[in-house]
Amino acid sequence: NDPVGKTNHPKHVVFKKVSKDKLVAVYMAKRDFVDHCDFVDPVDGVIVIDQGQLKGKKVYVMLSCTFRYGRQDMDVMGVAFRRDLFVVTRQVYPELQDKEKLTHTKVQQKLLHKLGDNAFPFFFEFPDNLPCSIALQPGPSDVGKKCAVEFEVKAFCCENQDEKINKQSSVRLTIRKIQFSPENSKLVPVAETTFEFLMSEKPLHLKLSLPKETFYHGEPIPVTVEITNSSSRNIKDISVSVEQVTNIVLYSNDKYVKSVAKEETSDSVPSGTSLKKDYTLYPLLAHNKDRRGLALDGRLKHEDTNLASSSM
């Protein structure tokens, strides 16, 4: 694939990618689209067409969400290791609607004004139920293997949209759907539980609390632990951890639980005593490199990412 070009305006970066035969080019003002829980940023951009080369063909643009679970080039007995979760295709040229009706953003207006009569707008809205861009971290020996949810905008030209696409006349741009969670300062998460022991009249009471519900990547998590040990047992070696729970719903509902930050202590609570103590946990990808199967936020090319954001 050609590298994605960036055109810098005083305020905007515009991403540009051209097909090998220079027939179609895609221009987009951003590649990250935010899921705000109650709505998702729409996907918009502009296609530029070399009408002299078209020779009666039509131009289409496609938005797709794919679940990939194997090597990119793997194909066993005609079964590709990928499943399309969502695909929608729109005809861009010849136009089925006026440009004004398909122009929804100021960036589109500016691009259409700058790029002239051969530029045509496109606009997509995500359905409600799609996952965000996510990838499972491969192990050190998993070369080329990939398990990921990926989003892509693809422009291509052909006689009709069902025929095989000529790679020379098509262009693909990877985009991301990312989760954003507004901070709710009113919610203070607390969990409590009681353990009953055999041969012990009274129980052990355990309480765990956090100062807030939402933490952003790189932010430490302070945890308050309160233990009241009324039992006859002595409690020792307290450990506190953050766990990542990943549900993969493909053929069977697989669930993976992995600790991403852990503090192991020699703190003890002898029988008949209590303890209240603060611990700090750092759930960072930097501390979990090369751990196979951890869920990460999707990435564009090879730039750094982080542990996957919680799905809202």
Side-chain angles (χ1 to χ4, degrees):
N1 274 3
D2 296 340
V4 176
K6 290 185 185 180
T7 312
N8 286 309
H9 294 279
K11 284 185 181 173
H12 294 290
V13 170
V14 174
F15 297 96
K16 170 192 175 184
K17 204 166 179 191
V18 187
S19 65
K20 283 186 177 166
D21 62 7
K22 308 285 191 285
L23 226 163
V24 283
V26 177
Y27 290 77
M28 294 181 77
K30 58 181 181 178
R31 295 175 75 182
D32 283 348
F33 298 87
V34 178
D35 186 337
H36 300 269
C37 301
D38 49 352
F39 76 98
V40 186
D41 292 346
V43 177
D44 64 303
V46 168
I47 303 275
V48 174
I49 301 162
D50 181 347
Q51 294 186 34
Q53 280 196 71
L54 261 188
K55 295 173 186 156
K57 289 182 180 173
K58 295 173 181 171
V59 178
Y60 300 92
V61 64
M62 176 194 286
L63 172 67
S64 64
C65 171
T66 306
F67 180 66
R68 203 186 283 287
Y69 48 103
R71 285 176 186 273
Q72 212 150 341
D73 51 0
M74 247 179 174
D75 192 354
V76 178
M77 294 170 66
V79 179
F81 280 75
R82 47 176 288 156
R83 174 183 284 188
D84 289 328
L85 304 182
F86 172 76
V87 178
V88 62
T89 306
R90 301 257 159 83
Q91 183 177 314
V92 178
Y93 183 86
E95 295 160 279
L96 301 176
Q97 272 184 308
D98 291 342
K99 281 188 184 182
E100 287 72 35
K101 285 187 180 171
L102 289 167
T103 307
H104 293 264
T105 62
K106 283 182 179 167
V107 177
Q108 275 182 318
Q109 285 171 355
K110 283 180 183 171
L111 284 169
L112 289 169
H113 181 70
K114 187 172 190 249
L115 297 167
D117 293 340
N118 288 340
F120 300 88
F122 64 87
F123 183 86
F124 293 103
E125 288 182 294
F126 286 110
D128 291 340
N129 55 352
L130 287 180
C132 286
S133 299
I134 204 158
L136 295 191
Q137 180 162 266
S141 60
D142 295 337
V143 180
K145 288 185 189 167
K146 202 173 194 185
C147 184
V149 172
E150 296 175 330
F151 290 84
E152 183 179 87
V153 170
K154 183 175 188 175
F156 58 96
C157 59
C158 47
E159 305 279 333
N160 63 69
Q161 68 181 67
D162 300 322
E163 73 178 57
K164 195 173 185 327
I165 297 166
N166 177 358
K167 285 186 178 176
Q168 299 291 318
S169 304
S170 70
V171 58
R172 300 154 62 156
L173 197 57
T174 306
I175 62 171
R176 283 191 300 196
K177 177 172 175 274
I178 55 177
Q179 182 74 64
F180 177 75
S181 174
E183 207 161 337
N184 185 345
S185 52
K186 296 187 184 95
L187 270 175
V188 178
V190 176
E192 297 186 64
T193 188
T194 299
F195 295 99
E196 306 273 354
F197 294 112
L198 204 63
M199 313 289 286
S200 178
E201 286 180 24
K202 292 181 177 175
L204 169 82
H205 190 72
L206 180 62
K207 183 179 175 184
L208 193 69
S209 56
L210 303 174
K212 57 180 184 170
E213 190 188 35
T214 303
F215 293 87
Y216 293 103
H217 295 293
E219 202 178 344
I221 300 182
V223 182
T224 302
V225 176
E226 295 175 62
I227 300 173
T228 305
N229 186 7
S230 308
S231 76
S232 56
R233 299 275 186 96
N234 292 325
I235 304 300
K236 58 182 182 179
D237 300 338
I238 294 166
S239 72
V240 189
S241 67
V242 177
E243 290 181 338
Q244 182 190 76
V245 181
T246 309
N247 289 302
I248 299 181
V249 197
L250 186 64
Y251 300 112
S252 58
N253 200 348
D254 295 331
K255 183 175 176 179
Y256 301 96
V257 181
K258 292 179 187 287
S259 167
V260 291
K262 192 167 192 176
E263 188 169 340
E264 294 178 311
T265 74
S266 53
D267 294 343
S268 61
V269 192
S271 173
T273 67
S274 60
L275 170 88
K276 182 176 181 181
K277 189 167 177 180
D278 294 331
Y279 299 91
T280 304
L281 295 164
Y282 299 89
L284 297 169
L285 178 57
H287 301 163
N288 292 281
K289 289 281 189 192
D290 296 334
R291 287 191 58 208
R292 190 169 188 263
L294 273 185
L296 313 178
D297 275 343
R299 65 179 87 189
L300 298 170
K301 292 292 184 198
H302 302 295
E303 65 196 45
D304 275 347
T305 179
N306 37 257
L307 294 169
S309 304
S310 303
S311 307
M312 302 298 290

